[in-house]
């Protein structure tokens, strides 16, 4: 194996282990906060200049907003990737060991397995104590739907769905782009290219009046970025279900049948995998921002959801991420050999 690729893979493995151990310490400023701040400030400037020259010549409001949304995307991705690349370049010029330390930090901060598990366990613990009100508050931090009237079963389903869905954009997708970038010596910049894409979608990719056109580009590119990782996640979850002695046969069945039962082209893949593995029904109609949003269901109700389903989903998430790491690093090794 090429020495540079070997060093990058070692950096990735160390970063992965650090995420397992520490997660995202709340006392440390996360790089994504700066990306979020960049998005807010850039959007504000673009909205101020939306009806000024040269944009004022675009009379169609829909086209003008989509153009501004595209400019927002380009600026955010360009500044984010450029900044990470520049910082690493300066570190490499100063000292190769400093480069690896900073490279590991950027990769580590792009992964979210322990953070995701922590949020899920908080809900598990509050439900275990029969504190429904606290459980509703805890679940409100990780879902977009209204949670004030959710019952215990709905809270469990919401948590399971969110952990499964975020296994893609919080772990598998970053790993996917980290490995691709690592083969060309740009693992961390590729990681933050994806994180910026995902952050843009989470901030402006809403289908409401304010962002329907402004977030169009961000939402579509996020769908594209997660297209392959989401499908790989379903495959890895099937393998994880087999290893954990869950119902992997039903997992395969539900993925094949319900993988498109979602408005997103990607979300139903991990959700159908975990639904099949657990034997519970997910999805359905929910309330978002005071509006009832009908959604198709995923899976079959072979039994009622229970609180332990949250812990089982977290176990599947961890094992899925490990399988992905092994597969991705293995592919990069063989790809280099070819």
């Amino acid at each position: 194996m090429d020495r540079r690729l070997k060093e990058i893979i070692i950096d990735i493995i160390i970063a992965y282990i650090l995420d397992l151990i520490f997660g995202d310490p709340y006392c440390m400023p996360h790089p994504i906060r700066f990306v979020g701040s960049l998005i807010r400030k850039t959007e504000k400037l673009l909205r101020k200049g939306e009806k000024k020259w040269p944009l004022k010549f675009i009379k169609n409001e829909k086209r003008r907003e989509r153009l501004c949304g595209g400019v927002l995307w380009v600026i955010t991705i360009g500044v984010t990737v450029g900044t990470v690349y520049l910082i690493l370049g300066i570190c490499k010029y100063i000292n190769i060991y400093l480069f690896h330390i900073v490279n590991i930090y950027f990769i580590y901060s792009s992964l979210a397995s322990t953070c995701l598990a922590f949020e899920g366990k908080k809900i598990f613990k509050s439900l275990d104590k029969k504190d429904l009100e606290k459980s509703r508050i805890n679940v409100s931090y990780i879902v977009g739907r209204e949670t004030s009237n959710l019952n215990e079963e709905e809270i469990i389903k919401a948590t399971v769905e969110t952990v499964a869905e975020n296994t893609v954009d919080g772990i598998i997708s970053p790993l996917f782009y980290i490995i691709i970038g690592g083969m060309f010596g740009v693992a961390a910049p590729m990681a933050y290219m994806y994180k910026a894409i995902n952050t843009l979608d989470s901030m402006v990719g809403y289908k409401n009046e304010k962002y329907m056109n402004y977030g169009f580009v961000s939402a579509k590119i996020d769908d594209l970025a997660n297209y392959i990782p989401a499908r790989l996640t379903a495959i890895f979850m099937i393998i994880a279900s087999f290893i954990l002695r869950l119902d992997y046969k039903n997992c395969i069945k539900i993925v094949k049948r319900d993988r498109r039962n979602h408005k997103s082209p990607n979300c139903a893949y991990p959700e159908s995998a975990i639904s099949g593995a657990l034997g519970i029904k997910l999805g359905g109609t929910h309330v978002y921002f005071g509006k009832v949003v009908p959604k198709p269901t995923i899976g079959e109700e072979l039994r009622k959801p229970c609180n332990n389903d949250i812990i089982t989903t977290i176990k599947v998430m961890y094992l899925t991420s490990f399988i992905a790491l092994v597969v991705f690093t293995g592919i990069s090794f063989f790809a280099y050999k070819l």
Side-chain angles (χ1 to χ4, degrees), residues 123-331:
I123 298 162
F124 169 82
K125 289 175 182 176
S126 57
L127 282 174
D128 198 45
K129 293 176 181 177
K130 305 301 179 183
D131 191 340
L132 203 59
E133 193 57 42
K134 189 173 182 180
S135 299
R136 288 168 178 158
I137 293 169
N138 287 338
V139 82
S140 71
Y141 297 144
I142 63 171
V143 300
R145 73 191 69 166
E146 290 185 11
T147 64
S148 57
N149 296 313
L150 296 184
N151 59 35
E152 183 176 347
E153 184 178 311
E154 290 169 332
I155 291 169
I156 293 167
K157 285 183 176 183
T159 307
V160 168
E161 287 172 13
T162 303
V163 172
E165 182 183 335
N166 282 279
T167 299
V168 178
D169 53 24
I171 310 164
I172 308 304
S173 286
L175 275 175
F176 180 77
Y177 291 102
I178 286 165
I179 293 294
I180 291 174
M183 295 174 70
F184 300 95
V186 287
M190 281 289 281
Y192 269 85
M193 179 197 75
Y194 172 76
K195 296 301 287 186
I197 288 171
N198 191 241
T199 305
L200 276 160
D201 179 62
S202 66
M203 291 182 69
V204 304
Y206 296 106
K207 291 184 178 180
N208 55 26
E209 187 177 344
K210 184 178 180 181
Y211 289 115
M212 179 64 73
N213 297 314
Y214 227 89
F216 178 81
V217 172
S218 294
K220 292 299 180 184
I221 294 178
D222 183 74
D223 286 343
L224 184 62
N226 286 306
Y227 189 86
I228 295 174
R231 285 145 184 81
L232 290 175
T233 300
I235 295 169
F236 297 153
M237 280 186 168
I238 291 169
I239 299 169
S241 298
F242 173 77
I243 295 171
L244 293 172
R245 297 185 179 181
L246 300 173
D247 194 346
Y248 72 93
K249 290 182 180 178
N250 193 48
C251 184
I252 295 169
K253 171 189 168 183
I254 299 302
V255 168
K256 287 173 69 177
R257 192 191 72 187
D258 295 347
R259 67 190 187 277
R260 294 190 179 93
N261 284 10
H262 204 286
K263 290 183 178 181
S264 161
N266 302 316
C267 290
Y269 278 84
E271 288 185 22
S272 60
I274 201 66
S275 171
L278 296 175
I280 62 175
K281 185 181 286 187
L282 300 176
T285 300
H286 301 294
V287 179
Y288 292 85
F289 307 106
K291 190 176 182 180
V292 176
V293 179
K295 289 184 177 182
T297 58
I298 295 172
E300 298 171 346
E301 194 174 66
L302 303 180
R303 61 173 180 82
K304 292 289 183 181
C306 66
N307 199 18
N308 280 331
D309 288 332
I310 295 173
I311 300 300
T312 304
T313 303
I314 291 169
K315 289 178 181 177
V316 172
M317 178 268 292
Y318 273 128
L319 185 52
T320 298
S321 72
F322 178 73
I323 292 167
L325 179 69
V326 172
V327 171
F328 292 162
T329 52
I331 288 173

